[in-house]
Amino acid sequence: MLLTLLKKEFYLIGRSLGGILSLFTLSVSVVFIFYTSIEVNEMLSERSVRGIKWAIIFILNFVIVSQSLWEERESMGWEASLSFVSPISLYLAKSFAIWFCTILVNGALVLVLSVFFQNMSMDRYFGEWLFANLGSGSLVFLGVSLGLIAFESRLKEIIIPLLQLPFSIPLFLFGLEAEHRYWLEPGFYLPSVGLLLFFMIFYATLGSVMIEILRNEH
């Protein structure tokens, strides 16, 4: 049953904007815009480049989550799947499937940033990719849970950005500072990684609680 759910989620992602390839094209386009407008005239600092990276990650996650949920709603897949599995299982399957796709895109994004920006070194590739994936995980769990709640609202198309932005601000503030601290400390600085893991677990748990509350109301 789990494999069937994951197959359905990957199929919906593939239908939404062409899947991973379109996300990669979008990320390269945004990077190129920042490069041609700023980097060619003035070399950006490491912190500024990481800020651009996090901004792109937010855009990519918002796009893929919104499109996947739109495909889910149009195909009535959520309602049909509820006859066989629990809402929490559907929520987790959708979240992990989308997160897996963002992990692939994040790997390409960090590579592209390393090519275009002088202060993004390939020597730090694994660390940059790690923090991008932890940030994406939190945004995916948050976006999917809010999107599923939006199914019950008449403002389906606008409720996700209205709710997601306030919840994402703490992640950006603490996430950027945690990543900056990570590179200042020698060796593998576990507290920075632990902070983003906390955010991801918190948003995943919060989403599970929201889905459970909706099920009890019905």
Side-chain angles (χ1 to χ4, degrees):
M1 181 61 69
L2 178 60
L3 293 177
T4 303
L5 284 176
L6 292 175
K7 182 179 179 181
K8 183 204 75 171
E9 298 304 335
F10 284 121
Y11 174 72
L12 291 176
I13 294 172
R15 288 181 56 183
S16 58
L17 294 180
I20 298 177
L21 183 59
S22 294
L23 291 178
F24 174 72
T25 304
L26 176 61
S27 64
V28 172
S29 301
V30 177
V31 169
F32 186 73
I33 291 173
F34 278 103
Y35 172 76
T36 55
S37 60
I38 303 177
E39 180 72 11
V40 294
N41 300 316
E42 179 183 358
M43 185 174 64
L44 290 173
S45 64
E46 294 180 3
R47 197 175 190 123
S48 298
V49 177
R50 292 195 186 103
I52 293 174
K53 180 186 72 175
W54 279 73
I56 295 174
I57 289 172
F58 176 81
I59 295 173
L60 293 179
N61 279 270
F62 175 76
V63 169
I64 189 173
V65 170
S66 299
Q67 289 297 320
S68 177
L69 291 172
W70 185 84
E71 293 287 350
E72 184 90 54
R73 187 174 74 246
E74 291 299 308
S75 63
M76 302 295 289
W78 177 263
E79 291 80 0
S81 300
L82 286 177
S83 304
F84 305 98
V85 294
S86 66
I88 294 180
S89 298
L90 289 173
Y91 160 70
L92 293 176
K94 177 174 286 295
S95 298
F96 281 116
I98 296 176
W99 188 28
F100 176 79
C101 294
T102 60
I103 287 174
L104 300 179
V105 177
N106 288 339
L109 171 62
V110 174
L111 179 62
V112 172
L113 288 171
S114 301
V115 172
F116 280 96
F117 294 93
Q118 299 179 50
N119 275 325
M120 180 71 77
S121 174
M122 283 296 295
D123 297 335
R124 301 194 302 268
Y125 181 88
F126 174 77
E128 299 283 354
W129 186 43
L130 172 64
F131 278 91
N133 294 335
L134 292 175
S136 288
S138 300
L139 291 172
V140 166
F141 283 116
L142 175 63
V144 172
S145 59
L146 294 178
L148 295 178
I149 293 173
F151 279 176
E152 308 297 327
S153 171
R154 295 181 180 180
L155 303 176
K156 295 179 176 62
E157 282 72 23
I158 65 173
I159 196 171
I160 297 180
L162 288 177
L163 294 177
Q164 188 169 9
L165 185 58
F167 279 101
S168 301
I169 290 176
L171 175 65
F172 285 127
L173 294 178
F174 290 102
L176 275 172
E177 185 60 32
E179 186 173 4
H180 180 66
R181 181 68 181 275
Y182 175 85
W183 295 111
L184 293 179
E185 298 291 334
F188 191 83
Y189 191 61
L190 187 58
S192 291
V193 178
L195 178 63
L196 287 178
L197 282 174
F198 166 77
F199 270 106
M200 188 166 62
I201 295 173
F202 172 75
Y203 285 134
T205 305
L206 181 64
S208 300
V209 172
M210 290 179 178
I211 299 302
E212 188 67 25
I213 292 175
L214 284 178
R215 184 176 70 170
N216 292 336
E217 288 181 353
H218 288 289

